[in-house]
Amino acid sequence: MTSFLSPGLASFEIPDVPDRARMRRDTGARLRASMAAQGIDMLVLLNNSNVAYATGANWPLGDAGLAHVERPVAVVVAGDPWPHLFLPFREGTAGESALPADHVHGPVYLEFDEGVKLFARQLAELRPTGATIAVDECTGAMLRAQSELFPAGPPVDASTVVGPAKLIKTPDEISCIRTACRITEQAIVDVQAAAVPGRRQIDLSAQFIRRAFELGAGATMLDAIWQVMPETKAAGVWTTHGDLALPLLTTERELAAGDVLWTDVSITYGGYCSDFGRTWLVGDSPNARQRSQFRRWRDILTAVLDVTKAGATAADLARAAIAANDGHKPWLPHFYLGHGIGVSAAEMPMIGTDLGADYDENFVFEPGMVLVLEPVVWEDGTGGYRSEEIIVITEDGWTALTDYPYAPYEN
């Protein structure tokens, strides 16, 4: 049996195979339009996901959230249809960027003073006079040389430019996300079958990563999570907010019959992410209370989807979820009811976070936005229930990108 989600309440044309050249043109136009709206003349991007969005370069880091001495840097100049890419020359580094030869440059090592001095000279050749520059990250060496890098004054935060550009996905971006999801779900089939008593958590990770790359994954976006949930909150790991801890690192712990696993994995295809989450039960069948929890989770998700469409706000979705859960928030305090996804596994918007009620009330969904919805249902004595679904917002509703069963809870 597949996911209970229907294909959606409205059609959305998604190509079976992404046209990468068209995708680069479309995302480049969105990025330059966002620059113009913010009055930015030049973007300097160090964050790996931002570089991927701006250039299409595929640079699979060991951990996409960490700064690396050797990493690509993108520079986007207003009026230039092509970004500049500075990267270590290794086979396959440029991925699908297909930039003109004069827009691909040698490496810059921005963790070091010498590297920043070299970059400052190269930047001066590209920088318009008096340019307003936005930067997404600054290394210590960059901070020491701000007057050389940014002579017109301190740079602006690039998130005000890149964030809005990423919000609405092109059909080719959505095709990449859907393909990443399909690769993930295919790889997960064998992993779920292997989640039996005596198997170690790290064995599941190894099996998933190997199969995902065999199927065409480009990178892993987070350490795979196969978290054994406690029977009660009091029996779990201590947290500052007194609620459940998630995620906890995967270990060599052997699975035992009756373990309730909350899973969470993410890979990339063409630089775009999947996000997979399900609740599994090791070597056992759910009892009546656990099946009831799954039905409650399904009812919450259905209530959220019933109000999901272009023109709805993040607050509309949050209210629907809370109402379907007897007035209580069905998500963890340190997470969210849902989030965006694209070149990062979790992008804006975030629904139900400490950004506050005003943010949720004022964030209006538009066609082409992609959401990961992940309600959580908890009841002491059961291990709880959590799963994730990815949808695309359409004019009249939504369409699903994920399609994986909920075994053993739906059986």
Side-chain angles (χ1 to χ4, degrees):
M1 184 183 295
T2 61
S3 162
F4 77 91
L5 294 183
S6 67
L9 303 180
S11 61
F12 194 97
E13 290 297 327
I14 306 172
D16 289 333
V17 178
D19 183 327
R20 297 176 190 273
R22 179 176 61 195
M23 183 168 69
R24 292 276 67 81
R25 290 194 302 269
D26 291 346
T27 56
R30 287 193 57 80
L31 195 55
R32 290 190 298 276
S34 186
M35 290 174 67
Q38 298 293 329
I40 301 300
D41 303 301
M42 176 181 279
L43 282 178
V44 178
L45 305 174
L46 283 67
N47 180 275
N48 193 59
S49 62
N50 290 342
V51 173
Y53 183 77
T55 69
N58 184 13
W59 187 252
L61 301 174
D63 183 332
L66 296 178
H68 285 67
V69 169
E70 192 177 61
R71 59 179 173 181
V73 177
V75 175
V76 183
V77 183
D80 188 340
W82 297 102
H84 289 263
L85 181 61
F86 298 80
L87 75 175
F89 286 106
R90 291 182 180 175
E91 184 179 354
T93 297
E96 301 292 341
S97 60
L99 298 176
D102 63 345
H103 281 59
V104 180
H105 309 272
V108 287
Y109 300 100
L110 300 184
E111 302 287 344
F112 305 105
D113 293 334
E114 295 82 355
V116 171
K117 288 179 181 178
L118 169 62
F119 186 55
R121 292 194 296 270
Q122 295 170 309
L123 207 59
E125 297 176 2
L126 304 174
R127 183 176 56 234
T129 302
T132 299
I133 302 176
V135 180
D136 62 352
E137 294 182 26
C138 272
T139 66
M142 291 173 69
L143 290 173
R144 290 191 292 272
Q146 282 205 64
S147 60
E148 298 173 59
L149 290 169
F150 317 117
V156 177
D157 181 1
S159 65
T160 62
V161 176
V162 182
K166 288 180 178 178
L167 279 175
I168 297 176
K169 304 301 189 290
T170 71
D172 295 300
E173 289 182 283
I174 296 170
S175 178
C176 286
I177 296 170
R178 185 176 64 181
T179 301
C181 292
R182 288 175 173 174
I183 289 171
T184 300
E185 291 176 357
Q186 283 183 263
I188 282 290
V189 170
D190 292 339
V191 177
Q192 184 172 10
V196 296
R199 198 70 184 267
R200 299 179 302 173
Q201 291 170 304
I202 58 172
D203 295 333
L204 301 183
S205 296
Q207 183 170 351
F208 170 72
I209 291 171
R210 176 171 181 170
R211 185 62 182 136
F213 277 87
E214 289 173 348
L215 291 167
T220 57
M221 287 303 291
L222 53 84
D223 289 336
I225 298 164
W226 323 97
Q227 182 168 328
V228 178
M229 300 305 295
E231 288 193 357
T232 66
K233 287 183 181 179
V237 174
W238 180 86
T239 60
T240 57
H241 48 61
D243 212 302
L244 297 168
L246 180 80
L248 298 179
L249 292 176
T250 292
T251 69
E252 295 186 41
R253 182 193 192 283
E254 291 186 357
L255 302 179
D259 280 348
V260 176
L261 299 187
W262 285 11
T263 69
D264 199 352
V265 299
S266 176
I267 59 96
T268 69
Y269 172 82
Y272 287 80
C273 299
S274 67
D275 193 2
F276 175 90
R278 285 290 185 271
T279 297
W280 296 343
L281 191 59
V282 178
D284 204 351
S285 297
N287 58 37
R289 289 177 66 196
Q290 290 171 327
R291 292 188 190 279
S292 175
Q293 280 199 308
F294 167 67
R295 290 193 295 270
R296 169 63 65 93
W297 176 90
R298 185 176 59 189
D299 290 345
I300 293 167
L301 184 64
T302 299
V304 171
L305 292 173
D306 283 345
V307 300
T308 298
K309 62 180 179 180
T313 67
D316 292 332
L317 275 61
R319 278 190 289 268
I322 292 168
N325 196 43
D326 297 333
H328 302 288
K329 291 182 179 180
W331 63 88
L332 300 180
H334 60 291
F335 274 129
Y336 24 59
L337 171 64
H339 60 84
I341 189 170
V343 290
S344 296
E347 297 181 349
M348 298 301 287
M350 309 289 184
I351 306 172
T353 69
D354 56 6
L355 289 170
D358 286 347
Y359 171 85
D360 285 352
E361 290 288 358
N362 289 290
F363 189 91
V364 179
F365 294 109
E366 299 180 47
M369 292 183 177
V370 183
L371 282 181
V372 183
L373 297 172
E374 48 180 282
V376 168
V377 176
W378 179 266
E379 182 184 6
D380 271 4
T382 64
Y385 192 88
R386 170 189 178 273
S387 283
E388 298 178 81
E389 295 291 355
I390 305 180
I391 62 168
V392 182
I393 304 292
T394 65
E395 287 286 358
D396 301 323
W398 49 272
T399 191
L401 297 185
T402 41
D403 184 27
Y404 193 85
Y406 303 99
Y409 288 81
E410 65 185 353
N411 293 346

